[in-house]
Amino acid sequence: MVSTAIMESMTWKEVEDRFKETKTVLIPFGSTEEHGYHLPLSTDYKVAYEIAKRVSEKTSALVAPPVCYGVCRRGESFPGTITISFETMKSLATDIVESLYSQGMRNAVFLPGHLGSAQLVSLELSAQELYKRHRDINLAIIRLPEILKKLPDGVMDELFGHAGEVETSIMMALFPEDVKMKEATKEVPGFPSHLVLRDSRSIMESGIIGDATKATRRKGEIMLDLFVSEISNIVRQLEGRTPPKGI
Ligand SMILES: [Zn+2]
């Protein structure tokens, strides 16, 4: 019988015992970032953490406490957004993995709920560095938008965005008490293709990209089921793959 293994609620003894059953740890990465008028700053880490907990239920993998900060340069001028540097993010990911590796972890799954390009590149570079240091470690970086491409046609009107239909629906399914649906907006800011923006707030009102008014709890549940089943498969793939191929 598989049971969840949420590290923040476990004793060190329980973690030690769990490492005899599994060598896999899911590490949720979020951000503390503006998510429009209707979603809390915690959206990204709460979503990543909750998905990780559900994957743990299916796979017995451990779940590390979430990293609540991310690289969020775009939203920096919205009050409450706290950004860390690219280098800090990379070092943080590497340090967390090194620490767990020394205790027996061999498969690490980075699960970023915040998907800024700098955040993803910092995780990728951390993974490459860890591969160079350890021949017996396996790493995965989950790209949630890639998983969403597997949704049947007609479920969602938009698959990308920020605090739009996708994230709002997921939050409605997970934490309905956190969603201020009356404040939900639709906004499609005109980001210039080539210019580097000094302050994205100058071209955004609410801070969202997409149409949050189309969100429903049901859409969120469908996406969550897909995420959990796909990520559980990725965990099983990782666990059957030692040493890693392709490096
Ligand atoms: Zn988000």
Side-chain angles (χ1 to χ4, degrees):
M1 178 66 190
V2 171
S3 61
T4 49
I6 315 301
M7 288 176 63
E8 70 168 34
S9 312
M10 297 167 77
T11 66
W12 71 264
K13 210 58 191 118
E14 288 166 338
V15 173
E16 185 177 67
D17 288 345
R18 184 59 72 119
F19 271 135
K20 291 172 192 155
E21 281 175 50
T22 181
K23 302 288 179 208
T24 307
V25 181
L26 298 147
I27 307 170
F29 287 89
S31 66
T32 296
E33 184 189 35
E34 68 82 10
H35 275 76
Y37 299 142
H38 67 295
L39 294 179
L41 299 166
S42 57
T43 294
D44 289 345
Y45 70 80
K46 285 183 89 164
V47 167
Y49 198 18
E50 195 55 37
I51 293 171
K53 288 178 183 175
R54 292 176 183 209
V55 173
S56 172
E57 244 173 72
K58 290 203 176 292
T59 62
S60 86
L62 284 146
V63 181
V67 175
C68 301
Y69 301 106
V71 189
C72 308
R73 298 154 308 161
R74 188 194 57 73
E76 210 176 0
S77 55
F78 286 90
T81 298
I82 297 171
T83 186
I84 60 175
S85 71
F86 174 91
E87 293 80 7
T88 302
M89 186 80 244
K90 176 173 170 263
S91 299
L92 193 53
T94 305
D95 289 354
I96 292 168
V97 170
E98 284 289 9
S99 190
L100 292 165
Y101 176 86
S102 72
Q103 299 159 11
M105 180 193 73
R106 289 298 176 269
N107 307 306
V109 179
F110 292 162
L111 177 38
H114 173 65
L115 298 157
S117 54
Q119 172 117 340
L120 291 179
V121 172
S122 62
L123 294 179
E124 175 73 34
L125 291 178
S126 162
Q128 293 297 342
E129 192 173 307
L130 288 158
Y131 270 169
K132 280 187 192 149
R133 292 188 199 170
H134 305 292
R135 295 293 301 175
D136 60 346
I137 197 168
N138 299 310
L139 293 142
I141 304 171
I142 305 298
R143 268 95 175 170
L144 296 176
E146 286 297 309
I147 295 177
L148 286 184
K149 288 181 187 167
K150 297 192 174 184
L151 276 177
D153 286 346
V155 177
M156 304 296 294
D157 290 307
E158 64 188 30
L159 290 179
F160 301 99
H162 172 68
E165 185 185 1
V166 170
E167 277 188 299
T168 306
S169 297
I170 293 170
M171 283 298 278
M172 287 171 91
L174 292 177
F175 305 103
E177 67 282 4
D178 282 352
V179 182
K180 297 180 176 72
M181 218 35 208
K182 282 186 188 149
E183 309 289 328
T185 53
K186 173 184 178 182
E187 189 173 348
V188 185
F191 284 101
S193 299
H194 306 284
L195 306 181
V196 178
L197 276 182
R198 192 175 298 277
D199 178 8
S200 67
R201 198 174 171 187
S202 62
I203 57 163
M204 300 174 97
E205 278 290 326
S206 64
I208 84 158
I209 303 169
D211 188 353
T213 65
K214 287 188 174 157
T216 68
R217 183 176 189 145
R218 179 78 194 119
K219 290 174 182 173
E221 282 161 357
I222 293 170
M223 287 186 280
L224 285 166
D225 285 347
L226 180 66
F227 288 146
V228 172
S229 103
E230 290 288 317
I231 299 168
S232 299
N233 284 338
I234 293 164
V235 167
R236 291 183 199 110
Q237 268 176 37
L238 266 188
E239 290 175 336
R241 199 189 70 154
T242 45
K245 294 186 181 110
I247 60 162

